[in-house]
């Protein structure tokens, strides 16, 4: 925080943006439709002095610094808000007195849309303009354009009240004395003084045991943000009945509607424990005269709702109110601070639906012969679904949905179910909550796919792996925040479905882990891992790699390094990475020359040296998990031998592959394979012949075919495969001073099984552990066989780590 009063610079104060403001700025800069744009309006009836009204607003600007504030983010590390000592409101006057009364509502909407399209320049204070529209001789619309980044609903109401108090004083010639508005600096100092410990303890207790968020936008899909609003207007009789019901239950109407929304979400997700966001004014603390301050103090707090089948409705609502009353003490706490305080382990948000109860301190104003009425503060939201309750003589319910995410069927279900819950509440006694919930029909609910299927295949065709430590660290963070792997260094944040709150979370982690001070708006110019890494790597001596491919970079456990197979490719490991422990990073290793014309390795020793160098860039210290499969056994063995020389512990795992090249090509092995094939032929002719044809096409026909008609990529693949076979044959096999785990199938038969086991017995001077696998050799990493492979591999990894811990003790 920094303050100045230099007349030369014409700056009164400089303040940082809050988390909510950063989110709104990010949304403003990255979305075609600015959800932060607000239309605040009222109706003026009677005698109006437009000159004195302008003078009153100018006095208002002098009283409230927020009206002299602009937002800045270009060419600075972190976005800021700057308060100027002087500013003037922009006024526009429109005459619609000749318009037909029936035309005016449509004309007003057209004007609003034009103003939304034109937008607001956040860098130029005041972030507002007023249009005064005369529709009759003594009747006007006052339309005030402003932005949610500086003003919340409470503030706009306060500003209107102050403006017309000043107007009344000017018109009457009286001397108005208003209470002094506290400075924003003193408020920030107060926040620092009260600390965070009590708030952290409250939120930790509130979300104790909450592990699975039930989300409407579960797949983080990209959205064009086409928002639609559906309304439900309650009659005066129903509204009064609900108010009486709230008194009966000894709760506020706010809590009553929150409870109804809870019941809908509990039933919609068919779960007994859900959370949703609730807007709060941000003014419930003990800071003196907080209600007089104007700015962006509104906050969104998580509300947790749990359904106990034995709870009565009254107890359910009262329990919710107790939570809300306690939460009000800490409503200055941001969602990011809350998730940090509860050690939120999942990378999904706590909630993605929002509840708004509009109870701004507005009363119609009468000044001599002028009446100010029909105040409206506007609504902004970036959530997939938002329920807004507008108070008054009658309750008005507005359901705002992002139609790219929430379909018409779901929208209709929420509105119809809302009506049904109200009817049930007003017609029944104090029944059990579960009895009420079960009366809501969910047969038309299209959203039950709330638990992400980790077995879904990841598109890897355009994947580009990190090539240096900075890119790798950023990849870990991105994969953690998006809860998705792999993410390539050229994948665009916005194409991945990134939104404003996600950007704030992303850069909070980046800045903490990498000790930087980058704002979320960095993504506007640097939207990929590669571009951010280049920005952070400027002036540094960077060590890069070319063989390591992170299939999943995130995770706190000991990494698993998977060496390529005979064709040199590695992405067949993608299913395996999705199925093993989500906290274990999975790195594949691919050979030189696989995607370019770089010189291929001339020996297994050269290959192992290159691979090991990069492995130790990723993981400088052991123990190491090394896994090999099908023609990568030699390089895996050589890597293990070199690690043993370095006195490192190795978990060397071989997947269903015979050891020495000599064993694969000698006559005895060939005869054994023929014999085993004959047995399989009699047992299952179709399967045996099908497998034989597939293998022969792969090994014999395909290389010739590719050599004749394949493109350069195909020819390079064949050249690489031939090179791998040649250096594999030339390798001098020696024993390893350590244990080996052989995960093996019995598909090829007893003789082949025993030959494979014997080949590895020859190479270990310590211990050979045999672990059975299901399925066929060629399908061990394809669905569904990979599920068993992953399960068995998980056990081997856990056992290795457990043994290490025992030895350490």
């Amino acid at each position: 925080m920094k303050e100045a009063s230099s007349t030369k610079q014409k700056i009164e104060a400089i303040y940082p943006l809050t988390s909510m403001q950063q989110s709104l700025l990010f949304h403003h800069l990255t979305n075609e439709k600015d959800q932060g744009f607000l239309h605040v309006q009222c109706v003026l009836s009677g005698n109006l002095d437009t000159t004195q009204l302008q003078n009153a607003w100018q006095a208002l600007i002098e009283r409230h610094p927020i009206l002299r504030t602009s937002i800045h983010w270009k060419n600075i590390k972190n976005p800021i808000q700057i308060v100027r000592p002087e500013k003037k409101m922009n006024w526009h006057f429109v005459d619609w007195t000749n318009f037909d009364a029936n035309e005016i509502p449509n004309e007003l909407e057209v004007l609003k849309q034009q103003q939304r399209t034109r937008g607001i320049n956040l860098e130029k204070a005041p972030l507002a303009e007023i249009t005064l529209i005369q529709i009759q001789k003594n009747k006007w619309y006052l339309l005030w354009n402003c932005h949610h980044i500086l003003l919340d609903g409470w503030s706009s109401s306060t500003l209107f009240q102050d403006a017309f108090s000043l107007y009344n004083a000017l018109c009457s010639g009286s001397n108005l004395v208003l209470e002094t508005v506290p400075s924003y600096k003193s408020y920030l100092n107060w926040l620092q003084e009260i600390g965070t410990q009590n708030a952290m303890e409250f939120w930790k207790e509130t979300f104790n045991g909450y592990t699975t968020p039930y989300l409407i936008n579960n797949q983080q899909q990209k959205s064009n943000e086409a928002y639609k609003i559906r309304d439900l207007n309650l009659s005066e009789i129903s509204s009064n009945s609900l108010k009486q019901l709230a008194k009966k239950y000894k709760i506020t109407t706010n809590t009553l509607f929150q409870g109804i929304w809870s019941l809908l979400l509990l039933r919609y997700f068919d779960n007994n424990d859900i959370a949703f966001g609730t807007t709060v004014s941000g003014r419930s603390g003990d800071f003196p005269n907080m209600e007089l301050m104007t700015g962006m103090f509104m906050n969104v707090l998580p509300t947790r709702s749990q359904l106990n089948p034995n709870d009565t409705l009254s107890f359910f609502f009262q329990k919710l109110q107790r939570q809300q009353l306690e939460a009000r003490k800490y409503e200055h706490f941001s969602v990011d601070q809350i998730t940090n305080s509860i050690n939120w382990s999942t990378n999904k948000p706590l909630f993605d639906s929002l509840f708004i109860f509009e109870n701004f301190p507005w009363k119609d104003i009468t000044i001599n012969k002028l009446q100010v009425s029909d105040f409206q503060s506007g609504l902004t939201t970036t959530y997939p679904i938002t329920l807004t309750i507008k108070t008054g003589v009658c309750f008005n319910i507005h359901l705002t949905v992002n139609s790219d995410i929430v379909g018409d069927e779901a929208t209709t279900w929420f509105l119809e179910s809302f009506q049904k819950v109200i009817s049930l509440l007003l017609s029944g006694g104090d029944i059990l909550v579960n009895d009420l919930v079960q009366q809501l029909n969910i047969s038309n609910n299209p959203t039950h796919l709330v638990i992400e299927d980790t077995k879904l295949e990841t598109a890897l065709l355009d994947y580009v792996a990190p090539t240096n430590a900075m890119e790798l660290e950023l990849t870990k963070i991105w994969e953690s925040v998006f809860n998705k792997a792999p993410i390539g260094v050229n994948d665009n944040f916005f194409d991945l479905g990134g939104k404003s709150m996600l950007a704030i979370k992303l850069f909070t982690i980046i800045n903490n882990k990498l000790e930087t001070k980058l704002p979320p708006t960095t993504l506007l110019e640097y939207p990929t891992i590669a571009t951010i890494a280049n920005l952070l790597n400027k002036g540094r001596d960077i060590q890069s790699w070319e063989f390591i491919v992170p299939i999943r970079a995130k995770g706190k456990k000991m990494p698993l390094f998977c060496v390529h197979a005979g064709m040199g490719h590695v992405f067949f490991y993608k299913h395996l990475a999705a199925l093993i422990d989500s906290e274990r990073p999975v790195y594949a290793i691919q050979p030189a020359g696989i995607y370019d014309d770089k010189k291929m390795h001339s020996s297994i020793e050269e290959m192992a040296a290159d691979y090991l160098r990069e492995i130790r860039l990723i993981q400088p210290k052991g123990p190491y998990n090394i896994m090999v499969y099908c023609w990568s056994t030699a390089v895996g063995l050589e890597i293990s031998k070199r690690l043993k020389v370095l006195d490192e512990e190795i978990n060397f795992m071989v997947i269903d592959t015979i050891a020495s090249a000599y064993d694969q090509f000698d006559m005895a092995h060939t005869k054994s394979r023929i014999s085993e094939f004959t047995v399989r032929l009699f047992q299952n002719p179709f399967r045996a012949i099908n497998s034989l044809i597939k293998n022969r096409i792969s090994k014999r026909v395909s290389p010739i075919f590719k050599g004749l008609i394949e493109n350069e990529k195909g020819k390079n693949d064949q050249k690489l495969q031939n090179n791998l076979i040649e250096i594999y044959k030339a390798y001098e096999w020696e024993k390893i001073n350590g244990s080996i785990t052989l995960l093996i199938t019995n598909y090829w038969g007893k003789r082949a099984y025993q030959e494979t086991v014997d080949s590895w017995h020859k190479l270990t001077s310590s211990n050979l552990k045999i672990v059975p696998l299901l399925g066929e050799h060629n399908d061990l990493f394809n669905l569904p066989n990979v599920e068993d492979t992953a399960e068995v591999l998980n056990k081997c990894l856990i056992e290795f780590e457990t043994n290490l811990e025992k030895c350490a003790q």
Side-chain angles (χ1 to χ4, degrees):
M1 181 176 61
K2 176 180 177 183
E3 287 224 349
S5 58
S6 171
T7 306
K8 182 179 180 181
Q9 293 182 331
K10 294 185 178 180
I11 291 176
E12 182 177 301
I14 300 175
Y15 302 110
L17 298 190
T18 65
S19 176
M20 184 70 74
Q21 286 178 308
Q22 289 192 53
S23 175
L24 287 163
L25 173 62
F26 187 85
H27 194 278
H28 168 82
L29 296 172
T30 57
N31 289 270
E32 186 175 336
K33 186 176 181 180
D34 186 1
Q35 290 296 326
F37 184 95
L38 285 174
H39 274 120
V40 181
Q41 69 181 64
C42 65
V43 175
L44 309 179
S45 305
N47 295 329
L48 176 65
D49 187 330
T50 57
T51 300
Q52 294 291 36
L53 184 63
Q54 291 180 74
N55 292 337
W57 274 86
Q58 193 56 43
L60 188 74
I61 290 175
E62 294 170 8
R63 171 174 167 78
H64 291 277
I66 200 67
L67 295 176
R68 294 178 269 114
T69 301
S70 54
I71 307 296
H72 301 269
W73 62 92
K74 296 176 182 176
N75 302 318
I76 53 178
K77 284 189 175 181
N78 291 299
I80 55 174
Q81 44 190 326
I82 295 179
V83 183
R84 306 286 180 181
E86 296 179 359
K87 279 295 170 185
K88 290 185 178 181
M89 180 66 73
N90 301 312
W91 286 81
H92 304 280
F93 297 90
V94 179
D95 187 353
W96 286 356
T97 54
N98 293 327
F99 283 26
D100 186 281
N102 295 325
E103 297 177 359
I104 289 177
N106 291 333
E107 291 294 332
L108 185 62
E109 286 305 312
V110 170
L111 177 61
K112 286 182 177 180
Q113 185 56 49
Q114 290 173 345
Q115 292 175 342
R116 287 191 198 98
T117 302
R118 185 170 71 248
I120 287 179
N121 184 355
L122 299 185
E123 296 175 288
K124 186 177 180 181
L127 306 190
E129 63 179 17
I130 292 178
T131 303
L132 196 61
I133 307 166
Q134 187 169 10
I135 57 175
Q136 295 177 14
K137 181 180 180 181
N138 292 315
K139 191 172 184 179
W140 295 261
Y141 280 125
L142 191 153
L143 190 62
W144 177 27
N145 298 349
C146 50
H147 202 280
H148 202 20
I149 198 169
L150 290 183
L151 291 170
D152 53 30
W154 183 294
S155 296
S156 59
S157 173
T158 300
L159 289 168
F160 263 68
Q161 298 280 1
D162 282 2
F164 285 101
S165 295
L166 291 165
Y167 171 78
N168 185 37
L170 290 170
C171 289
S172 61
S174 60
N175 183 25
L176 177 67
V177 178
L178 295 171
E179 288 188 77
T180 302
V181 178
S183 73
Y184 189 59
K185 178 183 178 182
S186 62
Y187 171 71
L188 293 180
N189 290 337
W190 174 76
L191 287 180
Q192 289 182 340
E193 289 173 5
I194 63 174
T196 61
Q197 187 60 38
N198 290 339
M200 290 175 65
E201 290 176 359
F202 167 76
W203 290 113
K204 190 172 183 179
E205 181 180 351
T206 300
F207 280 90
N208 181 36
Y210 186 78
T211 56
T212 304
Y214 284 81
L215 306 177
I216 291 170
N217 186 20
N218 189 61
Q219 299 302 323
Q220 292 286 354
Q221 64 201 68
K222 189 178 178 184
S223 167
N224 295 321
E225 300 195 346
Y227 285 91
K228 293 182 179 179
I229 299 177
R230 295 270 297 274
D231 295 332
L232 174 62
N233 299 319
L234 301 185
S235 67
E236 185 173 349
I237 294 175
S238 294
S239 298
N240 288 332
S241 296
L242 287 173
K243 293 173 185 176
Q244 291 303 314
L245 183 64
K247 289 181 180 179
K248 176 183 176 182
Y249 285 158
K250 299 179 181 180
I251 59 174
T252 64
T253 50
N254 185 348
T255 300
L256 180 66
F257 281 108
Q258 280 192 50
I260 295 173
W261 185 237
S262 298
L263 295 172
L264 294 183
L265 292 175
L266 287 164
R267 188 54 170 152
Y268 184 75
F269 290 114
D270 197 21
N271 191 270
N272 291 345
D273 193 359
I274 55 93
F276 59 92
T278 307
T279 60
V280 292
S281 69
R283 292 169 167 81
S284 295
D286 296 326
F287 185 71
N289 291 331
M290 180 70 187
E291 72 280 358
L292 301 177
M293 294 184 67
T294 54
M296 182 51 191
F297 298 101
M298 185 215 82
N299 196 9
V300 175
L301 299 181
T303 296
R304 183 181 183 183
S305 184
Q306 295 172 280
L307 190 154
N308 184 331
N310 298 319
D311 284 350
T312 61
L313 286 171
S314 59
F315 184 82
F316 174 79
F317 285 116
Q318 289 164 7
K319 182 172 64 174
L320 186 63
Q321 175 149 305
R322 285 194 297 271
Q323 180 196 140
Q324 290 302 296
L325 288 174
E326 188 67 19
R328 289 294 188 268
K329 300 177 184 177
Y330 314 110
E331 61 182 37
H332 56 279
F333 230 51
S334 70
V335 172
D336 282 342
Q337 288 176 304
I338 292 171
T339 54
N340 289 336
S341 67
I342 66 176
N343 296 319
W344 187 237
S345 58
T346 178
N347 297 301
K348 295 179 182 179
L350 282 171
F351 58 87
D352 69 347
S353 62
L354 183 64
F355 174 88
I356 300 174
F357 189 82
E358 288 196 353
N359 58 345
F360 306 130
W362 172 261
K363 294 181 181 179
D364 288 354
I365 302 170
T366 301
I367 303 170
N368 293 327
K369 296 181 179 181
L370 179 69
Q371 185 177 29
V372 185
S373 61
D374 296 337
F375 172 80
Q376 298 178 29
S377 63
L379 170 68
T380 65
T381 181
T382 59
Y383 290 85
I385 186 165
T386 300
L387 183 78
T388 304
I389 310 296
K390 294 195 174 183
T391 60
V393 175
C394 299
F395 289 117
N396 298 315
I397 292 94
H398 301 275
L399 191 67
T400 306
V401 301
N402 184 335
S403 58
D404 292 327
I405 298 170
V406 182
D408 291 339
E409 191 176 13
T411 305
T412 300
W413 182 89
F414 274 108
L415 283 175
E416 291 179 349
S417 297
F418 201 100
Q419 279 184 305
K420 189 169 185 178
V421 171
I422 290 175
S423 298
L424 290 170
L425 287 173
L426 295 179
S427 62
D430 193 10
I431 63 174
L432 296 180
V433 177
N434 194 53
D435 291 343
L436 183 147
V437 170
Q438 293 306 317
Q439 294 186 57
L440 300 178
N441 183 7
I442 61 170
S443 61
N444 293 326
N445 175 11
T447 303
H448 275 151
L449 299 176
V450 294
I451 303 299
E452 190 171 314
D453 184 0
T454 59
K455 299 175 186 177
L456 292 177
E457 184 170 350
T458 306
L460 292 165
L461 294 177
D462 299 322
Y463 174 74
V464 179
T467 60
N468 58 61
M470 184 64 74
E471 288 184 349
L472 180 61
E473 285 304 309
L474 288 170
T475 299
K476 292 177 182 178
I477 296 170
W478 281 50
E479 289 183 358
S480 174
V481 169
F482 278 100
N483 195 32
K484 174 183 178 181
I487 294 179
V489 296
N490 291 335
D491 290 350
N492 189 288
F493 174 85
F494 304 101
D495 292 340
L496 290 170
K499 300 290 170 51
S500 55
M501 293 304 292
L502 207 64
I504 292 173
K505 181 176 182 178
L506 179 70
F507 276 85
T508 298
I509 298 172
I510 288 174
N511 291 333
N512 287 338
K513 286 194 173 182
L514 303 182
E515 297 182 350
T516 63
K517 294 183 179 179
L518 296 177
T521 50
T522 301
L523 288 164
L524 302 177
E525 189 174 354
Y526 306 97
T528 66
I529 290 170
T531 53
I532 295 174
N534 287 337
L535 177 67
L536 295 174
N537 279 334
K538 283 182 179 178
R540 299 186 182 186
D541 184 20
I542 305 303
Q543 283 187 300
S544 61
W545 54 75
E546 57 180 304
F547 309 115
I548 295 289
V549 180
I551 303 295
R552 182 176 64 213
K554 73 181 183 74
K556 300 176 182 177
K557 292 190 175 181
M558 191 188 306
L560 171 64
F561 294 93
C562 306
V563 186
H564 57 79
M567 287 293 292
H569 296 289
V570 296
F571 285 134
F572 65 89
Y573 288 127
K574 62 183 179 292
H575 294 301
L576 178 72
L579 290 166
I580 67 170
D581 191 330
S582 61
E583 282 299 313
R584 189 176 304 282
V586 179
Y587 297 96
I589 308 174
Q590 64 187 11
I594 188 167
Y595 292 121
D596 49 44
D597 57 356
K598 288 184 180 179
K599 183 181 177 182
M600 297 177 186
H601 289 109
S602 59
S603 69
I604 292 294
E605 290 81 1
E606 180 188 20
M607 181 181 282
D610 282 346
Y611 292 177
L612 183 55
R613 183 181 67 254
E614 294 196 357
I615 287 172
R616 288 173 72 83
L617 284 176
I618 303 295
Q619 184 186 347
K621 295 290 184 181
Y624 293 93
N625 291 310
I626 307 293
M627 190 188 82
V628 295
Y629 168 67
C630 192
W631 294 96
S632 64
T633 49
V635 69
L637 191 71
E638 183 65 24
I639 290 171
S640 297
K641 287 165 57 179
R642 292 171 182 246
L643 284 170
K644 279 294 182 182
V645 171
L646 296 171
D647 199 27
E648 295 283 10
E649 289 282 350
I650 311 115
N651 181 22
F652 182 46
M653 295 168 290
V654 180
I655 306 294
D656 199 48
T657 306
I658 200 167
S660 166
Y662 300 111
D663 292 334
Q664 292 211 36
F665 296 102
D666 68 10
M667 185 58 67
H669 178 71
T670 303
K671 288 180 179 180
S672 175
R673 295 291 292 274
I674 292 172
S675 175
E676 294 289 353
F677 172 75
T678 304
V679 173
R680 294 200 313 277
L681 183 64
F682 281 102
Q683 291 175 343
N684 191 332
F686 177 79
R687 184 180 179 188
I689 293 173
N690 182 59
S691 179
L692 175 67
I693 292 172
K694 282 168 61 178
N695 285 330
R696 287 298 176 266
I697 289 175
S698 175
K699 292 181 179 179
R700 308 294 184 189
V701 180
S702 182
I704 298 172
F705 183 75
K706 286 182 178 180
L708 292 173
I709 66 171
E710 186 63 283
N711 58 23
E712 289 302 316
K713 177 65 175 66
K715 291 179 180 179
N716 187 72
D717 285 349
Q718 188 56 48
K719 182 180 177 182
L720 178 66
Q721 183 182 21
N722 292 338
N723 181 69
L724 291 173
I725 292 172
E726 289 305 314
I727 63 174
Y728 184 89
K729 288 180 179 179
Y731 180 62
E732 294 185 8
W733 297 76
E734 297 177 355
K735 282 189 175 183
I736 180 175
N737 182 24
S739 61
I740 297 172
T741 300
L742 175 62
L743 292 79
I744 185 170
T745 71
N746 61 3
Y747 173 72
W748 296 114
K750 293 180 180 179
R751 290 184 183 177
Y753 177 93
Q754 194 58 50
E755 286 176 0
T756 302
V757 171
D758 291 344
S759 71
W760 287 105
H761 267 304
K762 297 175 186 177
L763 293 171
T764 175
S765 60
S766 179
N767 177 46
L768 178 67
K769 180 180 178 182
I770 311 298
V771 180
L773 281 178
L774 301 178
E776 299 181 25
H777 173 85
N778 291 336
D779 289 322
L780 290 175
F781 295 100
N782 296 328
L783 292 169
N785 291 337
V786 68
E787 295 178 14
D788 175 69
T789 305
E791 183 179 353
V792 173
L793 191 62
N794 258 330
K795 291 178 181 177
C796 293
L797 292 164
I798 293 170
E799 184 178 345
F800 176 67
E801 291 169 347
T802 302
N803 290 336
L804 288 175
E805 291 175 3
K806 289 180 180 178
C807 292
Q809 293 173 356

